[in-house]
Amino acid sequence: MELIARYFNFEKLNTNLATEVRAGFTTFLTMAYILFINPQLLSLSGMPAQDIAVATAMAGGIACLIMGVYAKFPFALAPGMGLNAYFTFGVVQGMGVSWQVALAAVFVEGIIFILLAATSFRSKMINAIPATLKVATMVGIGLFLSIIGFKNAGLTVDHSATLVTMGDLHNPAVLLSLFGIVLTAALMHKGYKAALLLSIVALTLIAWATGLANVPDKFFTLPSFPKETLLAVDFSQVFTGAFLTIVIAFLFVDIFDTAGTLIGTGRAAGLLDKKGELPGAEKAFMADAVGTSAGALLGTSTVTTYVESAAGIESGGRSGMTAVVVGLLFLASLFLTPIFIAVPALATAPALIVVGALMMLGARDIDWLKIDESVPAFLTVIAMPFTFSIAHGITLGIISYVAIKVLTGQWRQINLFMWSLAVALSIYHMV
């Protein structure tokens, strides 16, 4: 015990083992929904749900242990929401890329992130992107998740004339999902930190009891490595323009998401310095990057730092021991894999929609009256759900931002990095 306390600087951080363990459990409960949702979304790409469930738990466990033991921060990680949807719908289904190639793109993105985390270029890159576009990217992903949630819930269906329309509200499955949205919001309003998880569990039990979903043959299993997705990365298209676009989209979202989460949760934990920066942030970025590459080799989409870490911090978590506890719980969840893959889409759809609602919070930070900033931001936000692609939203945002600045005589505000991105993306999409 004393060795653990010394290693994680309990005395300096004014914490103790009991507090850290409690914080770890709290964080895990708030983000455990990913164990149910990730197999659902990624399996639509053709990957076996069993392997994805295992890869999700393993990748989350590995990344959290690295964050806790190496970086010594109370931040938890797992395959990210939004990026998993982009993996399936934007890359595999939208671009016709095999899931093996998509995993290779995730792996390469992780390697690039590792290199950025080891140099000062990472912070230069983050600072080079206009704040408006960074915020708009997160808001757009929220809408992207929401439209997927609507689709999975049956609330939105195809229509030949209007593209989409309301689903069948006489369908019990659709009504149950609609109830799930209300239930999740009510639980969150009441302050239940595991509201998303509780909602998924409740809807799943109702679906099993009413015959809307099949009850799994077994509830427990012995842990094992993924069978088909382990080391299944395919680098055959690594030098193509399409592959580069995928990597850029994964990298952008991962960096923005991680940077924003680290600063936000770091502030809540009192870990920021006088400049508002997180000392040792490079180690936290490294944990994220290594987790991403390891996750790709196991068979899951990009791993990122979760904002739900704030729940554990509110419970007193201040050291890396919090992340270690979360990591151990992820690994322990490997015994429950049959349950994760038996959860129906109607039970996870409300979580996607509510997470999307929470991500809309960033829209208030966009200056909508400054038209040269708000139009690129709006294009970024709206293009993601309308084109069903995070990459297309980022592309339209960057190109329109640079074009408007040039046409309004503000070209001096455009840095070399933004010039390069705008030109490269324009050439790829128009030539």
Side-chain angles (χ1 to χ4, degrees), residues 118-134:
T119 66
S120 60
F121 186 76
R122 185 265 312 167
S123 48
K124 291 180 180 178
M125 177 181 172
I126 293 174
N127 294 332
I129 305 296
T132 300
L133 294 185
K134 285 186 274 193

Side-chain angles (χ1 to χ4, degrees), residues 30 115 194 198 224 326 368:
T30 61
L115 296 176
L198 291 173
S224 62
V326 178
W368 295 104

Side-chain angles (χ1 to χ4, degrees), residues 361-382:
L361 182 66
R364 67 181 183 181
D365 296 327
I366 297 173
D367 187 350
W368 295 104
L369 296 178
K370 193 174 182 181
I371 203 72
D372 59 327
E373 301 271 337
S374 62
V375 168
F378 180 74
L379 288 175
T380 301
V381 170
I382 210 67

Side-chain angles (χ1 to χ4, degrees), residues 12 31 45 48 54 57 86 141 148 226 233 254 286 309 319-320 377 410:
K12 179 181 178 181
M31 62 186 291
S45 69
V54 172
Y86 173 60
I141 291 174
I148 292 170
V233 289
D254 195 8
M286 187 65 75
S309 301
S319 78
Q410 303 178 75

Side-chain angles (χ1 to χ4, degrees), residues 152-326:
N152 290 352
L155 289 167
T156 296
V157 294
D158 295 337
H159 192 282
S160 58
T162 60
L163 296 182
V164 293
T165 188
M166 178 70 79
D168 181 9
L169 294 182
H170 295 93
N171 186 329
V174 176
L175 290 176
L176 185 56
S177 278
L178 192 56
F179 166 71
I181 299 172
V182 177
L183 174 64
T184 305
L187 290 172
M188 295 186 79
H189 176 73
K190 286 294 187 179
Y192 288 93
K193 297 188 183 300
L196 292 172
L197 178 62
L198 291 173
S199 174
I200 291 173
V201 171
L203 294 184
T204 298
L205 292 176
I206 294 173
W208 286 349
T210 57
L212 292 175
N214 296 322
V215 180
D217 296 329
K218 56 182 180 179
F219 292 90
F220 303 97
T221 187
L222 292 177
S224 62
F225 280 100
K227 296 176 181 178
E228 295 182 39
T229 63
L230 183 64
L231 304 179
V233 289
D234 178 2
F235 296 104
S236 62
Q237 297 184 37
V238 71
F239 295 111
T240 64
F243 190 89
L244 179 62
T245 301
I246 298 167
V247 171
I248 288 176
F250 280 141
L251 184 63
F252 263 51
V253 177
D254 195 8
I255 289 179
F256 296 163
D257 193 17
T258 301
T261 301
L262 290 180
I263 295 300
T265 53
R267 181 180 294 111
L271 299 175
L272 302 187
D273 59 21
K274 294 180 179 179
K275 297 180 181 179
E277 298 176 351
L278 181 67
E282 284 70 23
K283 289 186 176 181
F285 275 102
M286 187 65 75
D288 190 299
V290 173
T292 290
S293 291
L297 295 178
L298 288 166
T300 186
S301 53
T302 303
V303 169
T304 188
T305 307
Y306 267 58
V307 71
E308 283 83 356
S309 301
I313 290 171
E314 288 176 9
S315 297
R318 292 295 180 272
S319 78
M321 190 63 202
T322 295
V324 168
V325 172
V326 178

